[in-house]
């Protein structure tokens, strides 16, 4: 039984046995993400200071090489996961190809790969809007001890063994699932400890928030246009409320707590959709489904989409089961 105010470390130990694969590696993996999240949180919260804003390649007032925060976040998560010797490979939004971790060493018995968006929504940093880290964990499909291969990463979302996000907002939270529900932990920055604050997170049965960048309206598919008109119509519990932060983690986190749907359709600028299947949509979908919601590409379960490439983009609709099902019906009726 989860106990409010339990620390993340205590929670992991208490729930270690419930995870069927668990040999402690996954627990150590979550612990390493916890550490990296605290380090990145410190830098993100400093970002308002003049010496850390700015683009990669600049130098700050001390003349130090300036790192963009998403490059910094990438480095921290890769360093932490590598140092703890837990995974055999990492794929990141910040790297074109996947990173092989000691997998040329036949003694490397690590069986997990991690896919990560180190700092999603980083363009919001300069305007002090919350951002997030998103991660997805799979068991490798190639033989343990052999070099990790692309096929270890190109797995359907339904094969994930864990997924989560860190939201660097008014407070910093780590929210994750290993397939046994979704739990949220809030960081007490004074002592650097995450405490269980949101046990067994579940979408409310009904939702009335829709999150979409309506600036792209002219390019939306007919079904999305029809659904938006449905949301805005005065009938029953509608019109719904429009809320859009422009940060996937923040919009989805709010919708999971208050009830709502996040939509990122294909647009003229992004004809396949903007969001990345492997390290944005699949982990958010795993969490959404574990919290009683639904995640779709408009026509099918997003976690059933067969990945073709590492940085593949897809249209993404995620949130309350009833709201996403209604969206799908509009997509079907308005081809
Ligand atoms: P737009 C951030 O860049 C991101 O990947 C998501 O976090 C966010 O929901 C979306 O893009 C915002 O995109 O086109 O509305 O600015």
């Amino acid at each position: 039984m989860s106990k409010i105010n339990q620390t993340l470390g205590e929670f992991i130990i208490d729930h270690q046995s419930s995870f069927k694969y668990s040999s402690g590696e996954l627990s150590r993996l979550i612990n390493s993400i916890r550490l990296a999240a605290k380090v990145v949180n410190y830098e993100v919260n400093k970002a308002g200071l003049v010496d850390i804003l700015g683009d990669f390649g600049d130098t700050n007032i001390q003349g130090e090489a300036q790192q963009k925060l998403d490059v910094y976040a990438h480095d921290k998560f890769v360093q932490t996961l590598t140092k703890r010797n837990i995974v055999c490979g990492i794929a990141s939004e910040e790297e074109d190809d996947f990173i092989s971790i000691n997998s040329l060493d036949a003694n490397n018995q690590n069986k997990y790969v991690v896919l990560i968006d180190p700092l999603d929504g980083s363009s919001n940093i300069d305007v002090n809007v919350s951002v997030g880290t998103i991660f997805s964990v799979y068991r490798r499909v190639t033989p343990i001890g052999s070099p990790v291969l692309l096929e270890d990463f190109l797995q359907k979302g339904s094969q994930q063994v864990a997924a989560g996000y860190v939201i660097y907002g008014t407070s910093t939270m780590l929210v994750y699932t290993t397939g046994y529900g979704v739990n949220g932990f809030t960081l007490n920055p004074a002592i650097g400890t995450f405490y269980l604050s949101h046990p067994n997170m579940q979408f409310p049965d009904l939702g009335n928030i829709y999150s979409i960048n309506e600036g792209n309206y002219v390019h939306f598919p007919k079904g999305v246009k029809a659904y938006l008109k449905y949301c805005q119509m005065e009938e029953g519990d509608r019109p719904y409320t429009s809320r859009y932060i422009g940060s996937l983690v923040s919009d989805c986190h709010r919708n999971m707590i208050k009830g709502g749907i996040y939509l990122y359709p294909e647009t003229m600028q992004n004809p396949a959709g903007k969001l990345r299947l492997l390290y944005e949509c699949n982990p958010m979908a795993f969490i959404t489904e574990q919290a009683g919601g639904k995640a779709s590409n408009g026509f099918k379960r997003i976690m059933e989409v067969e990945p073709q490439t590492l940085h593949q983009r897809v249209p993404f609709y995620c949130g309350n089961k009833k709201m996403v099902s209604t969206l799908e019906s509009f997509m079907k009726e308005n081809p």
Side-chain angles (χ1 to χ4, degrees):
M1 177 64 186
S2 309
K3 301 180 281 295
I4 281 283
N5 288 335
Q6 191 175 32
T7 68
L8 175 55
E10 292 162 350
F11 180 90
I12 290 171
I13 291 165
D14 274 1
H15 293 75
Q16 165 102 29
S17 54
S18 67
F19 180 60
K20 55 180 179 285
Y21 295 118
S22 175
S23 59
E25 271 183 306
L26 187 69
S27 300
R28 285 175 32 233
L29 198 160
I30 301 292
N31 274 317
S32 64
I33 286 174
R34 170 183 64 173
L35 173 62
K38 287 194 278 193
V39 173
V40 171
N41 175 63
Y42 178 73
E43 289 301 320
V44 166
N45 285 329
K46 272 190 345 186
L49 301 175
V50 68
D51 68 346
I52 199 161
L53 290 183
D55 289 333
F56 187 76
D58 298 350
T59 55
N60 62 19
I61 49 177
Q62 284 87 11
E64 294 157 353
Q66 189 66 57
Q67 271 201 323
K68 271 181 70 176
L69 271 172
D70 39 13
V71 174
Y72 176 85
H74 164 84
D75 290 349
K76 284 303 157 200
F77 278 96
V78 170
Q79 276 166 21
T80 313
L81 287 166
T82 304
K83 241 188 284 183
R84 295 276 182 101
N85 191 23
I86 303 164
V87 298
C88 57
I90 299 172
S92 167
E93 182 174 49
E94 297 299 323
E95 293 275 353
D96 291 344
D97 201 355
F98 62 83
I99 304 164
S100 177
I101 310 283
N102 310 324
S103 73
L104 295 177
D105 168 5
N107 298 320
N108 177 336
Q109 297 302 302
N110 298 340
K111 52 179 174 289
Y112 294 112
V113 295
V114 173
L115 298 96
I116 189 162
D117 184 354
L119 206 60
D120 179 71
S122 53
S123 56
N124 289 312
I125 290 267
D126 293 357
V127 293
N128 211 5
V129 167
S130 54
V131 293
T133 295
I134 310 170
F135 63 90
S136 173
V137 184
Y138 293 85
R139 290 168 67 84
R140 68 179 299 176
V141 293
T142 53
I144 291 176
S146 68
V148 72
L149 299 176
L150 183 58
E151 65 192 277
D152 291 309
F153 298 91
L154 298 186
Q155 298 186 54
K156 290 198 294 189
S158 54
Q159 300 306 303
Q160 292 174 96
V161 294
Y165 58 82
V166 184
I167 180 168
Y168 310 99
T170 47
S171 60
T172 295
M173 282 190 70
L174 171 59
V175 177
Y176 79 96
T177 182
T178 57
Y180 295 84
V182 178
N183 291 283
F185 301 81
T186 300
L187 179 65
N188 176 341
I191 55 175
T193 302
F194 281 99
Y195 287 93
L196 179 63
S197 53
H198 297 67
N200 190 26
M201 296 179 80
Q202 288 289 308
F203 278 87
D205 188 40
L206 299 174
N208 66 357
I209 294 171
Y210 66 98
S211 308
I212 188 169
N213 182 345
E214 295 195 57
N216 297 314
Y217 181 84
V218 288
H219 304 307
F220 287 158
K222 292 196 192 95
V224 172
K225 289 181 177 177
Y227 179 68
L228 291 179
K229 292 306 165 208
Y230 169 84
C231 293
Q232 294 157 358
M233 196 185 290
E234 189 145 25
E235 186 181 50
D237 60 346
R238 287 170 284 128
Y240 294 153
T241 298
S242 173
R243 286 282 183 276
Y244 191 66
I245 299 170
S247 175
L248 172 67
V249 169
S250 307
D251 281 313
C252 287
H253 183 74
R254 181 212 45 245
N255 290 348
M256 183 159 59
I257 292 172
K258 291 185 176 282
I261 181 172
Y262 172 92
L263 307 95
Y264 209 107
E266 52 270 56
T267 63
M268 176 75 86
Q269 194 179 355
N270 292 295
K274 177 180 183 184
L275 299 187
R276 311 286 189 172
L277 173 61
L278 290 178
Y279 43 78
E280 291 177 329
C281 300
N282 275 337
M284 295 312 288
F286 191 15
I287 291 165
T288 295
E289 291 194 3
Q290 284 288 311
K294 186 170 185 178
S296 166
N297 66 356
F299 302 97
K300 67 185 270 192
R301 186 181 179 217
I302 204 83
M303 293 210 285
E304 288 306 324
V305 172
E306 197 68 54
Q308 303 301 321
T309 59
L310 211 46
H311 301 284
Q312 174 175 346
R313 299 176 192 266
V314 287
F316 188 53
Y317 308 95
C318 170
N320 273 80
K321 197 173 281 188
K322 288 177 184 163
M323 297 181 89
V324 175
S325 298
T326 303
L327 175 278
E328 287 181 327
S329 59
F330 276 97
M331 294 296 280
K332 194 171 175 189
E333 291 153 18
N334 300 273

